[in-house]
Structures are given as structure tokens and as C-alpha cells.
Amino acid sequence: MSLLAMLWYRRKPLLWAFMILVALVVVLARLSEIVGGVLQTRDLLVRSLAFGLLPPTLWALALALAVWKRRSLLRWQLWNLWLAALLGCMVVWGVLAYFSDYTGILGEFTLGGWVGKGVKGSSDVLGVFRLAGMALIVAATVFPGRSLRLMKWVLPRVGRRVGRLGKAVARLLIRRFEGLLARWREAHPRSRITVQRAPAPTVRGRPLDMGLQVQEPQTPEQIEEAGVVESGVSSQEKAPPRPSVPATAAKSPTESEREATNETRGGWALPALSLLSDAHRGGHEPGIDQEKTARLIERTLGEYGIEVKVAEIKPGPAVTMFGLVPGWIRRSREVREKNAEGNPVVDAMGRPVVREVEDKTRVKVGSIVAREKDLALALAAPSLRIEAPIPGLSLVGIEVPNTKPSIVTLRSVMESEAFQSLHSKSKLALALGRGSGGEVAIADLARMPHLLIAGSTGSGKSVCINSVIVSILMHNTPRETRLLLIDPKRVELTPYNAIPHLLIPVVVEVEIAVQALKGLIEEMQDRYKRMEKAEVRNIEGYNRSLPIEQRMPLIVVCVDELADLMMSAPYDIEHSIIKLAQLGRATGIHLVVATQRPSVDVVTGLIKANFPSRISFAVASQVDSRTILDSVGAEKLLGRGDMLFQPQDAPKPRRIQGAFVSDREIGDLVKYWRRQQGPLPPEIRLLEEEEAQRKELGDGGSGDELLKKAYDLATNYNRVSASLLQRRLRIGYSRAAHLMDLLEDAGVIAPGDPGKSREVLVASDKKRKQEE
């Protein structure tokens, strides 16, 4: 062995040459057989795969190159790409099977060989579908995640369409079968059953009235027309004839309530809900793909490292609420393992054993709120509102606007069980609309006890006031509730003129509004005196033991535009509203005040302090939102009834789509009350203008002390106005306006438009000396 080893190492080139020479001799001796085997192998490969041999060859070369040079391409994360490439070779074989050169060895086969022909199949048409299916499998292998989401989106829709198609086919077959059955019945007539009336039971010789409507005996022709069919054909024949029941007994409680006779109280009939429209315009479909939007929210936040999961979806009339559960922030770190004695554990090589530990911390709510604009960009939404957290739930709410908002009718809210339950407890139940989750939104004006409404032009402020008034008129007679409507714009509340609930006609002048509010203050003081004598604390206790004719009615004051009143008579209006708001609740006086300019000079601090319940529609800026709600959010509302309602007992405002009431519904309701001739309620006299002027200005003669002060003040200026008299003489607007009229009659000032400054025609002695 040692000799052979020495010869191998010393004579290696000679041995290699000898071995090669022996191999050549063997090859030359067997050359013909070797060439024949090679040709047979070539023909077999060509017939089997033909040009389809190229794709698997390229795949094998790529795999060998990855093993040799690029081991990173063999990671387990890329398994789907290698498998998809291998499956793609089969698709290429099938495609090549559709082509043939018709010459040479492939004359009787295709370019894909008999393997490609087997993949394609015997039918060319079916082969196309087979290859398309295989191509879809390849695509699904390349993109497994997207393919799974696509299947979740496609399969339910395809299932629904298949189900509809199946129902249509079933209906078609049923109709066809019914036609065949009808023709069979005509060809095979059977005997009819004649139904006779049973004798009525009697008690002591008198017929017993069972309270049912019993029909007279019918002829066979009448029975056939009434739907009595042949015996043995339908199950309806075997059932005994049921006595007819009155129509009202078969209807639902809601329908019978709508069609029942109007409820009467104190000689007045309340209107039925059928007077309002029940048309649901816009439908109930939100117009957005909820599942797609939920996945998009999760993916968008995930791109910024914020893990969330959509746990709840509530579609509403204007927005859809997506409830998010904050996820976890995961961080991994390496920790050395230790034994029971606390010493590090080492492996066989003496190295310390290290294991990976994952630390989790909850995602901060502030990080979700900070991505509001990024979410709005991803969802292509005009604005988003994030409620963090949703009151009463451990969720973060994201309100996404619907592409097809639906209109909430006032009747649909009033017919709900929640409103009916509240109406049974309070006479001033208000139907506001529906929340962001579609739930009914209602309120009790008696508990508020006053309501402040603000919003820009066209946001739905006046419609909300109309909804409040209609809610009161639908469930209260003039003996129960009276209204004082103030409308400086002259067009919003004037349609309610001449209804019996009004204390006075709708007020459109500032002077009359000031006097009406002062007269209401006197009425409030008079009610307090009456309750003091009766030894009760509020109007409920006063009315509890009295008949309806002697009870004090509730009074609701609605002001459509506070800004116009505050510009003309700020002192008188603010003083009257604050006094009524502070003391009016116990006497049954409630205020509903609206303005389109929620600035600090209109909604003052004292007014806000006495109006704990507020509604804000869409406003222009965050400053206006803070003025009305003490928080931001109203500047992101969508308009057209979209509002934030801040109750007196809630920590955060609630988003509501306001109920819509049309002009036609208001007109029908006003006509209904105008046509009634019930007993007139007790008259509540507000302070008249002439009486007020006598009380404030005395006899109004030239010797009046206040008129002398106004004369001296006017003659010291070139121009004078009612606001100047208010500031200098510390009087109200009505008194200053009357003084301007007296100065004009005396020739001291020139005529002019009310509310504007006027030229002074008479100069004082001091002023004449200065001019000289």
C-alpha cells in the first residue's frame, strides 16, 4: 500500500494520462452504441417537452446560481416566488402546446411536447380556461395576502348574486308549475264544498253576540270568487273558515296609532303623526364600503407604526363611526438565561445562552389623534372627527362622512319608542334627529332648561328651531304650552302667525321684542307671587291639584337671531334674557335662542353661564366653536343639519344629524291649529308699548327731566343717535328710541331712518360761542 501511495503521489500525471487513454479506447469501441443512446434520449426529451425544456432548465440554473453565489435568495420569505416560478413552467408548457411546426421530429407533436398536450387537455376551449386558472394560482402564489383579501371581497358578492339568480330561477319554475297545475285543474274538475252558516248560539231564547262579524250564507259562485278552492288540493280548504276581525285589530300598534282619532285635551284635539311626512329621501345606504374603509384605516395607521384594530362599525345618516381598539408597541431585546443559582447558562462551546424577549406597551391615544390629517388624506374625506375615547366605551371613534347622506325626517324620530317614552313623562320632549351611529337623539327642554343654538348661514339652524316648535305643537294644546316667537329676519317664524299657542303675533321689531321680554319678566314675577301663596316650589307642584282650566301654561320663548337684537338694544336684551334664564325654570318659562354669529359680544359670558345646554352647527373657525361649546370640533362639521349637541349632564358633545321638517309640513300643521275652535286659554298680557312709555317717560311733556337731559346732550353734538342716549343717560333702547321721536317732534333733530344717527338742528349756547 505504501508503494502504491508513493507511485500515486509521484506519478500522478502519468496515471491520469493512462486513465484517459483507457476511457478513449472504451468509447471508440462502443461509439455506435453510445451515439444511438444519445439520439434516443434526445428524441425522448424533444417529444416529451420540446421547447418546454427551457423554463425548468432556467429555473434549475437560477437555483444553482443562488446556492453558489446568492444564498440570500434562498430565504424562507421567498418561498412563494420559487414555487410560482416552478408552477409557471407548467403554464408555459400548456401555452406551447397550442403551436406546432409541422416538420421534423415535432411534426406529430406540438412545441410543448406530449407533456404540454397533457397540461392543455384534449379540448382547446377548455384548455384556455384551465391555463387561465393555473395562471390565477401562480398570481395568488406570488401575492398571497392580496389574493386572500380579494377572495374575502369577491366571494360574498358572488354568493349573493348566485343566490339572487337561484331565487329568480326558483320563482320562474314555480310560476311554470302553477300554470301547469292550473291547466290540470281545469282539465280535471272536482266537486265544490258549500259552506253554510252555523246557527247562532242562544241563551234563554236570545241570540248570543260573540263580538264577531258573521257573514251571510254564500252561493257556490261567491265562495269560489272569495278564494275557496277544490277539496284535497290546498291546505287552505281544510282549515275552518275564520270569522272576520275588525281591521284595526290586525294592524300594528304604530299603524293604529297613526290612524286613530286625535287625542283631545281640554277641548283641543292634538294632531296625528300622519300629518308629518314619512318620506326617507337619500335611503339608508351610507355609500361607503365599510370593510374596505376599516382595513384602510388599519393599514394607514400601521404605516406610521400605530397598531389598531377596528372592533365596531356604526353607520349613521351622515357619518359612519369606526371604533378602534389601540394595539401594542412591540420591542425585542436579548436576555442572558440564568440558572436557579443566578449564574449565566452557557452552551457546549462555553458561550452564554441568549434568548429574545418581547416587550409590549399600549399605543397612546394621542398618537392616533395626531394622525387625523393623514387618515383624511388616505380616505379622501373632506374632514374627519376623532372622539377619543367614545363615552362609555374603551374605543377611539373615527367619524367618516358618508358619500350618500340620508335625510332624517321628524316623524321617524317621533315614532320611535324612546321619544314616546320621554313624551309620556314630559310635555316638552324634543325630537332632535339621529346620532352618528343611527340611534335616536331626543332631549327634554324642561330639564335643560334653556337651549342655545349657533351656526353659520345654511348650516341648519333655522330648521332646528322649526323642529323644536313642531315637536311642541304636535303634543301640546294652547292650554298647556304658550309660545313667544321673536324673528328679526321676518321670514323664518312668521308662518306660525295666528296659531292659538301664541301669546302675541310673531315679533319682528326690536322695540316690541324688548317690551315683550320685559312683560314676560313681569309675568314671571307674578307667577312667583302666586306660587308663594300656594306654598309650592315650582309650576309642577302648583298645577298638580288644579283643573286644566286653572293651571298655568308653560311658556317657550324662541329667538331666531340674537345678534340682530344685541346690535340694536344690547343692554335691554341681555338683561332680559339673563333674568329669564336665571329665574324662569321654576315658573315654566324656557328659552330657545339661536344666532349665526357666536362671538363674545353676542354670546356673552353671562348668557353662556345660564345656557348649559347648547347646539352648534357648522361654524367658520375654532374660535367660534370654543365660544359656543368651550371646545373645538364644530368647525369640522359637514353642514346641512350636522350638529354637536352639548347636554347639561354630558362631559362631551354628541354628534347628531338634525331632523328635517319641510315648509309643507309646517303649513299643514299651522292650518290644522287655525281650523280648530277650542276654548281660548287664559290671556297673558304682556306690557303694551304705550303703557311702557308712560311708565318710563312719565307724561312725555316738555317739562320731563329725562327729556331735558336728552335735549342738553343732543345740542352739544352735530349728530346724535339712540345708542348715544343709551350710553350717556344709562337707559334702555326703547326709552332712547322714544326720546329720539320726541326730539324729532320738537324740531331738535332732523328726520331719519330708525337706528341711524341724525343731524342736530338746534345748537346750545356753549356750542354757538365756540363757533363764534
Side-chain angles (χ1 to χ4, degrees):
M1 291 296 295
S2 60
L3 180 60
L4 291 176
M6 183 179 62
L7 291 176
W8 173 261
Y9 287 109
R10 291 185 178 181
R11 297 291 187 267
K12 186 185 294 186
L14 294 177
L15 290 175
W16 277 109
F18 177 74
M19 292 175 65
I20 291 172
L21 181 60
V22 172
L24 287 175
V25 171
V26 174
V27 168
L28 291 175
R30 300 283 185 175
L31 183 60
S32 59
E33 297 178 3
I34 293 174
V35 171
V38 171
L39 293 177
Q40 290 179 1
T41 304
R42 183 204 66 177
D43 293 345
L44 179 61
L45 289 175
V46 171
R47 289 187 177 92
S48 301
L49 297 175
F51 287 98
L53 183 63
L54 294 177
T57 304
L58 294 176
W59 183 85
L61 291 176
L63 182 61
L65 183 61
V67 173
W68 184 31
K69 290 289 187 180
R70 291 287 184 89
R71 293 291 182 91
S72 61
L73 296 177
L74 299 178
R75 298 194 311 271
W76 66 270
Q77 292 89 344
L78 302 179
W79 66 270
N80 56 326
L81 298 181
W82 291 100
L83 181 59
L86 192 59
L87 294 176
C89 296
M90 300 180 63
V91 178
V92 173
W93 295 340
V95 172
L96 291 177
Y98 280 90
F99 304 96
S100 177
D101 60 354
Y102 300 101
T103 59
I105 193 173
L106 295 177
E108 55 189 55
F109 294 98
T110 61
L111 296 183
W114 59 267
V115 175
K117 188 175 181 180
V119 172
K120 184 196 71 170
S122 58
S123 175
D124 293 342
V125 178
L126 296 179
V128 172
F129 291 100
R130 183 181 299 178
L131 293 178
M134 296 175 65
L136 289 177
I137 294 175
V138 172
T141 308
V142 176
F143 306 103
R146 296 181 181 178
S147 301
L148 184 60
R149 289 194 294 270
L150 182 63
M151 289 178 62
K152 290 182 179 179
W153 183 82
V154 170
L155 290 180
R157 287 162 175 78
V158 173
R160 285 195 295 267
R161 282 168 172 75
V162 171
R164 293 171 186 170
L165 180 60
K167 290 180 181 178
V169 173
R171 285 195 296 267
L172 181 61
L173 294 176
I174 290 173
R175 292 196 195 100
R176 190 68 178 271
F177 176 76
E178 288 178 350
L180 295 175
L181 183 60
R183 287 195 292 270
W184 183 85
R185 288 174 180 173
E186 293 177 359
H188 302 80
R190 292 194 178 187
S191 59
R192 309 284 182 173
I193 297 177
T194 303
V195 180
Q196 298 291 340
R197 183 180 64 175
T202 59
V203 177
R204 296 182 181 179
R206 295 183 180 181
L208 179 62
D209 187 6
M210 303 294 292
L212 303 177
Q213 298 178 1
V214 182
Q215 298 179 350
E216 294 296 330
Q218 297 178 340
T219 63
E221 290 77 14
Q222 292 174 339
I223 296 174
E224 182 177 359
E225 293 177 358
V228 179
V229 296
E230 298 83 359
S231 103
V233 177
S234 173
S235 61
Q236 295 179 355
E237 306 168 337
K238 301 179 181 180
R242 291 182 293 181
S244 60
V245 182
T248 56
K251 294 185 179 180
S252 63
T254 304
E255 294 176 354
S256 59
E257 181 183 351
R258 296 177 188 173
E259 300 179 4
T261 306
N262 297 347
E263 182 182 355
T264 303
R265 298 179 189 170
W268 296 88
L270 294 177
L273 286 178
S274 57
L275 195 66
L276 301 178
S277 174
D278 195 24
H280 295 274
R281 290 176 290 174
H284 297 283
E285 292 294 332
I288 62 175
D289 190 340
Q290 299 177 7
E291 292 296 332
K292 180 181 178 182
T293 305
R295 301 290 82 78
L296 184 57
I297 291 174
E298 294 177 354
R299 185 169 66 252
T300 302
L301 293 176
E303 291 174 354
Y304 294 96
I306 303 173
E307 179 185 342
V308 296
K309 181 176 180 59
V310 177
E312 188 179 48
I313 301 177
K314 290 185 177 180
V319 296
T320 299
M321 169 77 78
F322 293 87
L324 308 183
V325 177
W328 301 92
I329 300 176
R330 295 176 170 83
R331 296 183 179 90
S332 59
R333 56 188 178 91
E334 293 182 350
V335 178
R336 293 184 178 182
E337 291 190 358
K338 295 183 179 180
N339 54 20
E341 290 78 12
N343 299 323
V345 179
V346 296
D347 57 6
M349 302 296 294
R351 293 174 298 184
V353 178
V354 180
R355 60 186 178 89
E356 189 174 347
V357 178
E358 184 182 60
D359 295 333
K360 297 192 302 182
T361 57
R362 181 68 74 176
V363 171
K364 295 182 179 180
V365 176
S367 61
I368 301 176
V369 178
R371 295 299 172 185
E372 177 182 348
K373 294 183 178 180
D374 299 311
L375 282 172
L377 178 63
L379 298 173
S383 64
L384 294 180
R385 180 174 175 267
I386 299 180
E387 192 172 12
I390 300 175
L393 298 175
S394 299
L395 299 175
V396 178
I398 297 181
E399 296 173 349
V400 181
N402 297 336
T403 56
K404 297 179 181 179
S406 59
I407 294 180
V408 180
T409 59
L410 187 63
R411 177 175 173 178
S412 65
V413 181
M414 287 187 175
E415 289 177 343
S416 63
E417 295 182 0
F419 182 84
Q420 295 297 332
S421 175
L422 179 62
H423 167 58
S424 63
K425 303 175 184 177
S426 174
K427 296 180 180 179
L428 299 181
L430 305 182
L432 298 180
R434 292 187 179 272
S436 57
E439 68 280 2
V440 174
I442 56 177
D444 184 6
L445 184 60
R447 290 186 57 193
M448 290 185 183
H450 312 292
L451 181 60
L452 180 62
I453 304 174
S456 59
T457 303
S459 60
K461 178 177 74 289
S462 298
V463 177
C464 181
I465 294 182
N466 285 323
S467 300
V468 170
I469 297 174
V470 172
S471 299
I472 295 173
L473 294 179
M474 289 293 294
H475 300 97
N476 291 272
T477 65
R479 285 188 175 274
E480 296 172 334
T481 303
R482 306 297 299 276
L483 297 176
L484 174 60
L485 306 182
I486 301 175
D487 181 18
K489 294 193 293 186
R490 300 173 179 265
V491 294
E492 295 295 342
L493 303 182
T494 49
Y496 296 100
N497 266 324
I499 62 174
H501 297 74
L502 293 181
L503 293 173
I504 57 176
V506 178
V507 180
V508 296
E509 298 292 344
V510 178
E511 296 87 350
I512 302 177
V514 172
Q515 294 302 319
L517 292 176
K518 289 185 177 180
L520 197 57
I521 292 176
E522 291 197 0
E523 171 66 19
M524 179 183 67
Q525 299 293 348
D526 181 65
R527 290 190 173 192
Y528 269 116
K529 294 178 182 178
R530 293 160 64 182
M531 288 190 295
E532 180 184 7
K533 293 180 181 179
E535 297 182 352
V536 294
R537 301 178 59 182
N538 50 39
I539 191 173
E540 289 82 6
Y542 183 85
N543 291 336
R544 186 175 295 116
S545 59
L546 295 177
I548 189 172
E549 294 81 9
Q550 300 178 9
R551 294 177 184 176
M552 290 190 297
L554 302 175
I555 299 178
V556 178
V557 182
C558 296
V559 181
D560 185 33
E561 187 47 65
L562 180 63
D564 290 349
L565 301 179
M566 294 293 289
M567 289 175 61
S568 301
Y571 176 78
D572 289 337
I573 295 296
E574 182 181 7
H575 178 267
S576 300
I577 288 179
I578 292 174
K579 193 165 186 179
L580 289 172
Q582 289 175 342
L583 305 175
R585 177 177 184 176
T587 60
I589 298 176
H590 305 276
L591 303 179
V592 179
V593 180
T595 180
Q596 66 179 4
R597 188 163 61 89
S599 56
V600 293
D601 56 339
V602 176
V603 184
T604 61
L606 288 175
I607 292 179
K608 286 178 58 178
N610 291 281
F611 283 81
S613 299
R614 306 164 195 167
I615 290 178
S616 178
F617 290 87
V619 295
S621 62
Q622 292 185 1
V623 177
D624 294 341
S625 178
R626 291 184 182 276
T627 302
I628 184 65
L629 295 176
D630 294 329
S631 63
V632 298
E635 74 281 356
K636 299 177 182 179
L637 297 178
L638 305 176
R640 299 179 63 84
D642 192 14
M643 63 178 173
L644 291 177
F645 174 47
Q646 175 67 68
Q648 78 279 9
D649 54 355
K652 290 183 178 181
R654 176 187 177 189
R655 190 167 188 173
I656 298 173
Q657 177 64 30
F660 176 77
V661 56
S662 63
D663 294 340
R664 184 189 62 80
E665 295 174 87
I666 295 174
D668 294 342
L669 182 61
V670 171
K671 291 178 182 177
Y672 175 84
W673 282 112
R674 286 178 180 174
R675 286 195 299 263
Q676 290 202 53
Q677 300 294 332
L680 294 177
E683 184 180 3
I684 299 177
R685 294 181 57 86
L686 300 181
L687 199 62
E688 298 180 357
E689 184 176 1
E690 296 80 3
E691 186 180 351
Q693 291 174 358
R694 288 194 301 269
K695 184 176 179 180
E696 294 175 353
L697 298 178
D699 58 359
S702 59
D704 187 77
E705 181 181 358
L706 189 59
L707 182 59
K708 290 180 180 179
K709 291 182 180 180
Y711 176 84
D712 295 338
L713 180 63
T715 53
N716 289 327
Y717 292 90
N718 294 327
R719 301 186 69 85
V720 67
S721 62
S723 60
L724 177 64
L725 298 180
Q726 286 182 259
R727 294 193 304 271
R728 293 302 179 90
L729 301 180
R730 298 183 181 276
I731 58 176
Y733 177 80
S734 59
R735 190 181 301 183
H738 184 66
L739 289 175
M740 292 289 289
D741 294 338
L742 293 178
L743 293 176
E744 181 183 350
D745 295 340
V748 179
I749 60 177
D753 297 331
K756 295 184 179 181
S757 62
R758 306 188 192 184
E759 182 183 0
V760 179
L761 303 179
V762 178
S764 63
D765 297 338
K766 181 178 179 181
K767 185 177 179 181
R768 281 196 295 267
K769 291 179 181 179
Q770 291 178 355
E771 292 178 354
E772 293 176 356

